Each structure stands twice: as C-alpha cells, then as structure tokens.
C-alpha cells in the first residue's frame, strides 16, 4: 500500500511537457539558433548593465531605471531558453518536469511579462518629469524616488503574479500534460478538473488592468510631452525629447506587439502552433532587441561603447 501511495504521489508531481516540437531536419538549426540567441541576450543585457554600473557619467535616474530592463530581460530568457534547449535534445516521450519546477517557471515567466510593462511605465514617468518639469527634475527624481519606482515596478509584478499562481496551485489536478513549449498559468490550471471560473476572472481582470494601466499611462505621458515640445521653442529640449522618447517608445511598441499577438492568437484555436511560437518569441525578441536599441539610440551609451572599443583597439596596436 505504501509503495502504491508513493507511486501515485510520484506520478501526481511529474508532468509531461510538450517542449519545442522539432523534426530531424530542424533539430540542429533550432538548437543552434536558440543557443546563439540565448548567448547574445545574456551578453548584451549583462554588458549593458555592467556598462551603466561602471560608467560614472551614466549614474543618472534615467539610466539607473533603465538597469531594470536588462535584469528583467535576462531573467525572462533564462527561465525559457535553457529549458527549451534541454527539451530539444530529449525525445518527445521523455520530456518531463516536476510540478514545482513548472510553477516556478510559470511564475518567473509571468513576472517577466508584467515587469516588461511596469518598468517601461516608470521609465516613461522619468522622461515626463525630465521634459515637462526640467527645473524640478533633481528634486523629484532623487535616489529615494528611484528606489520607490523600482520597488513599485517589481513589487506589483511579484504580488499580482503571486496571487495569479496561488489561485492555480490551490487546484487539484487530474491531468499531467502541459500542452505548451513551457509552463504558464493557463497550461497549469487546465490540468485541473475543478471549476476554473475564479482563475479565469482574475486572469482576465489582471491582464485588462495591466494593459489598460500600461497603455493609458504611457499614452497620457507622451501626449503631455508632445504638448510641451510643441509649445517650447527650445530646440535642444525638443531634440533631447525626440531622442530619448523615441527609443523608449520603440521598445514599448515591440513589447506591446509581441504581447498583443499572443492574446489575439488565444482566440483562434486553429492557430495553436503560431500561438506557441509567439509565446516563445515574446521572451526572445524583446530581450534581444532592447540592448541593441538602447545601445544604438542613446547617445551617452553609444559614446561609452565607442570609447571602450576605441581603447581596446589602441591597446591592441
């Protein structure tokens, strides 16, 4: 009886995960592509983080808040891509994950998605203060305020996603198959045969509030910035606004489009494969593009990179 109970508990805690579906022809290209993408994401984001940390001229509120972005991008890529690479080398029938590991992966994945919005929201607020209240900027954007904004960005994600996954963990599950390349909240609560109404209501409310807050706050911020720039005759201020805001806006649009594609594809069951790939791309494309965009578009960061490469070239000679 004890052996049967132990076996039942074992099967209860072990889940089959679909992983990344590849054929013999696409095995090597898929593995190499994701491996190179992961290396690039980690090197570029950690490099950007080190560059801002080590460069004293970049120790300003705008760049300190920017540090949240590469941290979040590296976190999001690390929870997904290594597991995908592991599943690729495993036969489809041997792709297993424990229930606890699945919960952790889902939690970090949802924190990544939520923080992508909240970090860009606090960065938009920083740009708003810098352009609309330049004289009060040093008194508003103090170190204390930067810490408060950072805690807000991460705290909101940790708490709201914690509730989201907490409602799922409470459910018993009668199925053991994750029909997705990775674990997420919908995949987890679909394992249960219980009533899912509370989970669905909270999930939809959470998504709607996050997106409404994100789009609404950033739209209002840019409308206000546009008004100030149109009234201002200061060409230097307008040029700075265009440079810094265009970079931020481009990153935000990429995050928004990747997330929007996933939401739309959820409404079309026939496009299951496309939805799964869109979910993977959400945790690969923005983390890969963000450091490139900020590195090329932000004058101070670009200059710092050029100075480093210039010194290395001189040393080599």
């Amino acid at each position: 009886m004890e052996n049967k109970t132990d076996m039942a508990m074992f099967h209860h805690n072990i889940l089959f995960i679909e992983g990344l579906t590849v054929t013999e022809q696409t095995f090597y290209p898929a593995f190499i592509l994701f491996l190179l993408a992961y290396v690039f994401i980690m090197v570029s984001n950690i490099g950007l983080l080190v560059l801002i940390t080590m460069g004293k001229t970049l120790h300003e509120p705008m760049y300190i808040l920017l540090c949240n972005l590469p941290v979040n991008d590296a976190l999001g890529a690390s929870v997904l891509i290594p597991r995908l690479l592991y599943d690729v080398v495993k036969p489809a029938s041997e792709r297993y994950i424990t229930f606890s590991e699945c919960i952790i992966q889902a939690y970090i994945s949802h924190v990544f998605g939520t923080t992508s919005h909240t970090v860009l929201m606090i960065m938009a607020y920083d740009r708003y203060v810098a352009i609309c209240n330049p004289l009060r900027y040093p008194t508003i954007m103090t170190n204390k305020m930067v810490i408060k904004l950072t805690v807000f960005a991460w705290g909101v994600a940790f708490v709201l996603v914690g509730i989201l996954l907490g409602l799922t963990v409470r459910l018993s599950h009668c199925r053991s198959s994750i029909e997705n390349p990775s674990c997420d909240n919908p995949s987890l609560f679909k394992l249960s045969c219980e009533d899912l109404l509370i989970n669905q209501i909270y999930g939809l409310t959470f998504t709607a509030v996050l997106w409404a807050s994100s789009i609404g706050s950033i739209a209002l911020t840019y409308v206000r910035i546009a008004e100030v720039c149109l009234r201002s005759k200061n060409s230097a201020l307008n040029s700075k606004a265009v440079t810094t805001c265009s970079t931020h806006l481009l990153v935000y649009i990429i995050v928004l489009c990747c997330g929007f594609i996933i939401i739309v594809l959820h409404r079309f069951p026939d496009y299951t494969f496309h939805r799964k790939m869109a979910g993977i791309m959400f945790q690969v494309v923005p983390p890969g593009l963000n450091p490139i965009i900020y590195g090329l578009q932000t004058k101070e960061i670009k200059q710092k990179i050029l100075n480093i490469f210039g010194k290395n070239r001189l040393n080599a000679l």
Side-chain angles (χ1 to χ4, degrees), residues 19 24 31 65 101 109 122 146-147 163 184 196 220 243 257 292 294 316:
E24 290 183 3
F31 185 87
L65 290 176
E101 288 173 340
S109 294
I122 64 173
V146 170
I147 292 171
I163 297 171
D184 56 16
L196 303 176
L220 289 172
T243 302
C257 289
I292 296 175
Y294 270 97

Side-chain angles (χ1 to χ4, degrees), residues 98 104 118 129 263 301:
T98 66
I104 293 169
T118 55
V129 176
I263 291 173
I301 294 177

Side-chain angles (χ1 to χ4, degrees), residues 29-59:
F31 185 87
I32 293 170
L33 179 64
F34 279 105
L35 179 61
L36 291 176
Y38 182 63
V39 171
F40 176 78
I41 288 169
M42 297 306 291
V43 169
S44 58
N45 280 286
I46 293 173
L48 181 61
L49 190 63
V50 170
L51 190 68
I52 294 171
T53 305
M54 301 298 290
K56 293 182 179 180
T57 56
L58 300 177
H59 290 179

Side-chain angles (χ1 to χ4, degrees), residues 174-187:
C174 58
R175 303 180 186 91
S176 59
S177 180
I178 299 291
E179 297 177 354
N180 259 328
S182 62
C183 295
D184 56 16
N185 187 57
S187 299

Side-chain angles (χ1 to χ4, degrees), residues 164 167 170-171 195-205:
L164 183 75
L167 289 172
R170 71 185 173 87
L171 301 169
D195 183 15
L196 303 176
L197 183 61
I198 295 175
N199 297 71
Q200 292 168 342
I201 290 173
Y202 181 81
L204 288 172
T205 304

